[in-house]
Amino acid sequence: MDDLPEYARVNRDSWDDRAAAHAASPDYALDRLLADPTAVSDVVAFDRARLGDLTGLRGVHLQCHIGTDTLSLHRLGARMTGLDLSGASLAQARDLAARAGAEVEYVESEVHAAGAVLEPASFDLVYTGIGALCWLPDVAAWARVVAGLLAPGGRLFLREGHPMLWALDDERADDLLVARYPYFETAEPLVFSDAGTYVETDHVFTASTTHEWNHGLGEIVQGLLDAGLTLTSLAEHDSVPWNALPGAMEPVGGGEFALREGRDRLAASYTLTAVKR
C-alpha cells in the first residue's frame, strides 16, 4: 500500500477519516443489522430478487467500505471476502462481522491490486455496490480485474449510481436537471473539497479532498465485454440510495431517493450483471 498512486492516497485518507462516523451514523443502520441476524442492508435488499440464490457461492465485495453489504451477502448464503484500500474502514467492517458472529475475510488493498492479493479465477461472485466506480480512473482496467477474479461461469453483480446522475449539478436549489460534470471518462480527475459526507453525522472531517471520475454506461459495458464477460442483464432505476440531489429529491422508501417532480426524467442508478465466458 506504500506505492499507491496519488489519487488513491488522497481518497484513502478521506475514507479513513469518515469510517468511524459512517459506522456510527443511523443511515448505515448497524444497530438494525446487529439486532436482527436475518437483516440485510437496504442496498442489498433493493436487488434481492436479482441476486438469486447465493448459497455456497464464493464471493468478493470490491471496495466494501465498512462491510454492511458484505455482511448482508454473507447472510444470504455466500462465503464472502471484502476488499478495500481504507484500513480504518476495514477495522469497522471486521468489528461489525465479529459482533454479528459472521465469518467474513477482509483484505486491505487498492482494487487494481486485487489480483495480486486474492486467488485469481476463484470467485463465483464479484459484487460491487453503490458509489464505487467513481473513485477509479480507468473503468476498462477495473473490468479486467473483475474478469481475473472470476472463475469461468462466475458473475459480476454491480449496482451503481448512473453516469447521467454523476454528470448533474448537485448544488442547485431548484428542480432543474443541469449537466455540470463530464458524462464520459476523462484523463484527469474531478477534484472536490468537501468537509461533509453523504450520511447523517455531526462529525467534522479534516481530510476533505477527493479525486473522482465519471464513466459512461457504454464505456462500462464495453470494458466488461472486452475483458471477456457476457452481459446478462441491465436495469436502470429512477432512484438511488442517498440524497444525491438535495434540492430536487425526496425519500421514497427502502433507503432510496428519487426526484420529487417528474421521476421519469432521470436514470438515477442501474443494476448490471455479467458472466465470465
Side-chain angles (χ1 to χ4, degrees), residues 30 32 42 75 77 123 125 128 130 140 146 156 175 185 202 218:
L30 266 63
R32 179 176 65 85
D42 286 340
R75 286 179 168 175
F123 292 94
L125 172 70
T128 297
I130 203 86
V146 170
L156 165 70
D175 290 332
E185 186 178 292
D202 294 327

Side-chain angles (χ1 to χ4, degrees), residues 260-275:
R260 185 172 49 250
E261 301 290 340
R263 286 177 61 169
D264 56 0
R265 292 183 294 156
L266 176 65
S269 64
Y270 65 95
T271 302
L272 179 153
T273 61
V275 173

Side-chain angles (χ1 to χ4, degrees), residues 13-276:
D13 291 347
S14 174
W15 289 113
D16 281 350
D17 196 20
R18 285 156 178 74
H22 285 186
S25 172
D27 292 330
Y28 268 102
L30 266 63
D31 289 346
R32 179 176 65 85
L33 291 174
L34 291 170
D36 180 359
T38 67
V40 299
S41 66
D42 286 340
V43 170
V44 170
F46 182 90
D47 280 311
R48 179 68 190 90
R50 296 180 184 89
L51 280 162
D53 185 8
L54 303 185
T55 304
L57 298 185
R58 187 180 184 195
V60 59
H61 179 186
L62 301 180
Q63 299 167 270
C64 65
H65 191 36
I66 62 172
T68 51
D69 296 342
T70 326
L71 172 63
S72 299
L73 297 168
H74 164 83
R75 286 179 168 175
L76 296 180
R79 296 178 289 121
M80 290 302 301
T81 298
L83 180 140
D84 201 273
L85 88 168
S86 165
S89 295
L90 292 179
Q92 297 294 335
R94 292 186 180 107
D95 179 69
L96 174 63
R99 293 164 67 192
E103 292 186 11
V104 178
E105 178 186 9
Y106 285 103
V107 177
E108 184 176 343
S109 173
E110 202 273 330
V111 68
H112 291 101
V117 297
L118 300 174
E119 184 181 356
S122 65
F123 292 94
D124 306 301
L125 172 70
V126 170
Y127 179 90
T128 297
I130 203 86
L133 296 188
C134 61
W135 308 106
L136 305 178
D138 184 345
V139 76
W142 165 83
R144 292 191 293 271
V145 170
V146 170
L149 293 172
L150 284 172
R155 61 178 167 133
L156 165 70
F157 194 99
L158 171 65
R159 169 98 193 276
E160 184 54 282
H162 201 287
M164 182 179 178
L165 172 67
W166 295 123
L168 295 180
D169 185 346
D170 58 353
E171 297 180 347
R172 297 186 67 89
D174 54 33
D175 290 332
L176 294 179
L177 304 182
V178 177
R180 178 180 179 183
Y181 303 109
Y183 175 90
F184 297 106
E185 186 178 292
T186 55
E188 298 300 321
L190 298 168
V191 179
F192 295 103
S193 181
D194 185 357
T197 189
Y198 53 84
V199 297
E200 180 184 340
T201 179
D202 294 327
H203 190 82
V204 177
F205 303 102
T206 57
S208 59
T209 301
T210 58
H211 291 192
E212 303 176 34
W213 289 264
N214 201 1
H215 311 283
L217 196 57
E219 293 171 329
I220 295 164
V221 169
Q222 191 62 51
L224 294 169
L225 296 175
D226 290 345
L229 275 64
T230 298
L231 190 71
T232 50
S233 70
L234 176 59
E236 295 174 296
H237 314 297
D238 63 8
S239 67
V240 68
W242 82 97
N243 191 1
L245 301 172
M249 283 185 160
E250 64 182 2
V252 293
E256 297 282 313
F257 290 79
L259 290 178
R260 185 172 49 250
E261 301 290 340
R263 286 177 61 169
D264 56 0
R265 292 183 294 156
L266 176 65
S269 64
Y270 65 95
T271 302
L272 179 153
T273 61
V275 173
K276 183 176 179 179

